[in-house]
Amino acid sequence: LAPWLPVVGLEIHAQISSNSKLFSGSQVQFSAPPNSVVSFFDASLPGTLPVLNRRCVEAAVMTGLALNCSINKKSLFDRKHYFYADLPAGYQITQQRVPIAVNGSLSYSLCIDNKMSQMVTKTVRIKQIQLEQDSGKSLHDDTRSQTLVDLNRAGVGLMEVVMEPDMCCGEEAAAAVRELQLILQTLGSSQAVMAEGQLRVDANVSVHHPGEPYGVRTEVKNINSMRFLAKAVDYEIQRQIEELENGGTILNETRAFDSKLGCTVPMRDKEGKQDYRFMPEPNLPPLILYDAKSLPANMNHQQVVNIDWIHERLPDLPSVKRAKLVEQYGILPEHSFTLLNEDGLTEFFENVVKQTQMKPKKVIGWILKDLLSYLKQHSLTVKESPVSPFLLADLLNLLEKKQISSTAAKQVLTELWKGEGKTPLEIVKEKKLELIQDQQELEQICQAVIDGQENEVIMMVLG
């Protein structure tokens, strides 16, 4: 029997990093007291009108450019109707017909057989990026059998990044989202912290035999960690294959990932295709963007968004940063991935390299084997490390000057982790860990050992 081919496409909602919401002046503040940052517009009081936030538009343009998209100079806003307690207007303002950016691509790398030294680069096509507003949050209180609504998040700006179904397993999906997360954080267009709901992933999964049309797809909603994304996708692929091989059928349904059980569970079916009754948003004109060529001479620059101006100011993206690290320091490509994946680790490494005579290739070993494994063991971030780049550089200089052995250096590092404020040199002296360079001194020590063990020496000579 022909093998099954899995197909995975992703829809990612990234919360835009902005002080205020997409269409109102309310603050964006994680974990603010319930309903404390809600304007009349967010609560959908009659007569309130949306005012588009320029910062959110610029963030979406920046993200589109970084993902190789075409930016639409004219995009449109639409109303998507659905009725839910945390959507007070009964509709969401989104971009259904003409989104802000289309036809992009994202390259990402993943290891073959979990071997960091064997990496393969893949590309996923980006169908579009659209601007839309977030809904509020429903908090279900089971003990009192009631649902409470918090509208703090209502109206917060989102970018929805829609990826084409170009992936085939959980590992690929997680690697693509991880690369997107790094790009968003590098641009500053989203903080993309999954634990705070700033990056939420919906995965569309189906399986089919080669040469046949794609199978019926299911959607796994609101996945909030990379690990869960990989697990949810792989579980769903396996579930569909087993269902089909046992003569069953796959329902076009929405499922949720239960992280405790490690499986997906049905939420609602999509049999009767939900009619969102899309219609043009009557209170917002088309969004018009400019580039250097189309910018009118007498236009106030504060009033417009210039695509070329944003393009010129794009920072180095993660792929470029990695290539530069490899070229500048002669480290392995897989090490450049680790440096960039851990927040603050690249800066830590570069600071150590600046202050030590040790070659970067050797420094990276200490950073990845010793520093990183200690931090992971103690669930610390790089910024929380008890050993600063300065202290580690100090220690590596002692090793490089052959004042201590590498075994002694590890001992010193163990002491430094305690964070008692001692310098490496103080610890070396205190623990008497110096390597002895003076030949006479060494001979005296050896002689003293021999003198103290006369019987053993005689036995050895006679033996």
Side-chain angles (χ1 to χ4, degrees):
L1 240 170
W4 292 98
L5 291 180
V7 176
V8 181
L10 302 175
E11 292 167 18
I12 298 138
H13 288 92
Q15 183 181 311
I16 297 168
S17 208
S18 161
N19 294 330
S20 53
K21 296 183 181 180
L22 185 55
F23 299 118
S24 82
S26 297
Q27 260 192 307
V28 174
Q29 196 186 334
F30 180 69
S31 73
N35 297 308
S36 63
V37 282
V38 184
S39 71
F40 292 153
F41 176 79
D42 307 328
S44 196
L45 294 191
T48 53
L49 293 170
V51 179
L52 183 57
N53 179 338
R54 176 196 170 111
R55 157 69 192 158
C56 293
V57 175
E58 289 176 340
V61 170
M62 202 189 294
T63 305
L65 292 170
L67 296 175
N68 312 302
C69 292
S70 302
I71 307 295
N72 281 323
K73 284 191 194 157
K74 178 182 178 183
S75 60
L76 306 171
F77 287 99
D78 304 276
R79 287 186 180 184
K80 175 184 182 179
H81 294 81
Y82 58 97
F83 296 96
Y84 205 63
D86 55 25
L87 192 74
Y91 62 82
Q92 173 195 39
I93 302 177
T94 178
Q95 292 190 307
Q96 156 73 5
R97 294 163 297 159
V98 185
I100 195 164
V102 291
N103 302 333
S105 63
L106 168 71
S107 293
Y108 61 96
S109 299
L110 68 162
C111 319
I112 301 169
D113 303 329
N114 280 336
K115 289 184 189 139
M116 277 300 276
S117 54
Q118 293 177 294
M119 298 195 90
V120 56
T121 300
K122 300 202 166 198
T123 302
V124 56
R125 290 168 298 152
I126 306 284
K127 184 180 181 211
Q128 65 190 57
I129 298 173
Q130 64 201 45
L131 277 169
E132 60 187 36
Q133 51 179 174
D134 209 343
S135 60
K137 212 171 179 183
S138 293
L139 308 160
H140 305 293
D141 184 342
D142 293 333
T143 50
R144 287 150 75 175
S145 306
Q146 60 182 189
T147 294
L148 305 169
V149 175
D150 179 7
L151 292 180
N152 280 347
R153 206 176 64 186
V156 167
L158 297 177
M159 293 177 282
E160 181 176 356
V161 180
V162 182
M163 293 183 176
E164 297 282 10
D166 294 342
M167 292 159 281
C168 66
C169 65
E171 193 190 355
E172 281 189 13
V177 174
R178 177 64 183 132
E179 189 67 9
L180 174 65
Q181 185 184 41
L182 278 175
I183 290 170
L184 294 171
Q185 289 169 342
T186 302
L187 297 172
S189 59
S190 171
Q191 291 169 7
V193 179
M194 292 188 98
E196 293 185 9
Q198 293 165 354
L199 198 70
R200 311 194 286 274
V201 184
D202 300 340
N204 292 299
V205 181
S206 71
V207 298
H208 65 283
H209 286 305
E212 290 179 5
Y214 284 176
V216 176
R217 68 186 169 93
T218 59
E219 183 181 32
V220 187
K221 288 287 275 189
N222 280 337
I223 307 165
N224 61 0
S225 93
M226 301 295 173
R227 209 161 47 89
F228 293 165
L229 172 61
K231 282 184 171 178
V233 168
D234 288 338
Y235 174 87
E236 191 52 24
I237 290 168
Q238 219 38 57
R239 184 192 72 81
Q240 290 187 17
I241 291 171
E242 283 169 20
E243 185 73 43
L244 292 167
E245 286 185 345
N246 291 330
T249 52
I250 301 301
L251 297 177
N252 179 213
E253 63 181 350
T254 300
R255 298 176 73 87
F257 180 65
D258 186 321
S259 54
K260 290 190 180 74
L261 299 174
C263 66
T264 64
V265 291
M267 277 169 73
R268 54 181 183 267
D269 72 48
K270 290 193 170 184
E271 286 303 308
K273 184 83 179 87
Q274 192 168 1
D275 180 11
Y276 290 121
R277 293 186 299 111
F278 281 103
M279 61 173 268
E281 167 54 62
N283 294 324
L284 285 164
L287 170 58
I288 307 293
L289 306 176
Y290 297 89
D291 56 16
K293 282 190 204 130
S294 64
L295 197 65
N298 58 352
M299 185 68 80
N300 176 351
H301 289 267
Q302 301 302 311
Q303 298 294 309
V304 298
V305 172
N306 182 339
I307 300 165
D308 289 339
W309 189 87
I310 292 173
H311 198 270
E312 283 162 20
R313 282 157 183 76
L314 283 183
D316 278 350
L317 294 177
S319 53
V320 175
K321 283 187 188 170
R322 286 191 281 257
K324 282 186 177 174
L325 285 169
V326 170
E327 192 185 333
Q328 190 177 344
Y329 299 112
I331 60 174
L332 296 170
E334 57 265 31
H335 290 162
S336 72
F337 274 88
T338 315
L339 283 181
L340 246 73
N341 274 345
E342 298 296 326
D343 190 24
L345 196 59
T346 306
E347 294 75 12
F348 195 103
F349 165 71
E350 291 188 312
N351 283 334
V352 174
V353 169
K354 273 181 210 151
Q355 299 169 50
T356 175
Q357 285 101 40
M358 189 179 270
K359 286 200 166 68
K361 273 187 177 175
K362 279 169 80 180
V363 173
I364 196 84
W366 282 86
I367 295 272
L368 300 187
K369 283 197 194 89
D370 299 275
L371 178 85
L372 203 53
S373 55
Y374 177 88
L375 295 178
K376 288 225 155 106
Q377 215 176 322
H378 294 81
S379 303
L380 293 171
T381 64
V382 175
K383 291 182 176 73
E384 292 166 339
S385 170
V387 177
S388 66
F390 175 76
L391 283 176
L392 185 59
D394 240 13
L395 173 62
L396 299 184
N397 281 335
L398 292 176
L399 183 59
E400 202 58 15
K401 290 177 195 156
K402 300 203 163 37
Q403 285 177 260
I404 53 171
S405 67
S406 60
T407 315
K410 302 257 186 214
Q411 270 179 270
V412 175
L413 190 57
T414 306
E415 289 300 309
L416 286 174
W417 288 131
K418 293 175 184 171
E420 290 168 354
K422 293 175 189 164
T423 67
L425 191 58
E426 283 167 356
I427 294 167
V428 166
K429 295 210 158 129
E430 199 178 285
K431 303 254 172 208
K432 298 193 169 51
L433 294 169
E434 304 103 315
L435 282 176
I436 298 165
Q437 308 287 353
D438 185 340
Q439 194 169 345
Q440 257 187 317
E441 195 182 334
L442 278 171
E443 282 173 7
Q444 282 171 0
I445 292 168
C446 294
Q447 194 57 53
V449 170
I450 291 169
D451 292 348
Q453 311 287 333
E454 264 181 43
N455 294 343
E456 283 83 349
V457 173
I458 292 163
M459 294 295 285
M460 279 176 75
V461 171
L462 292 175

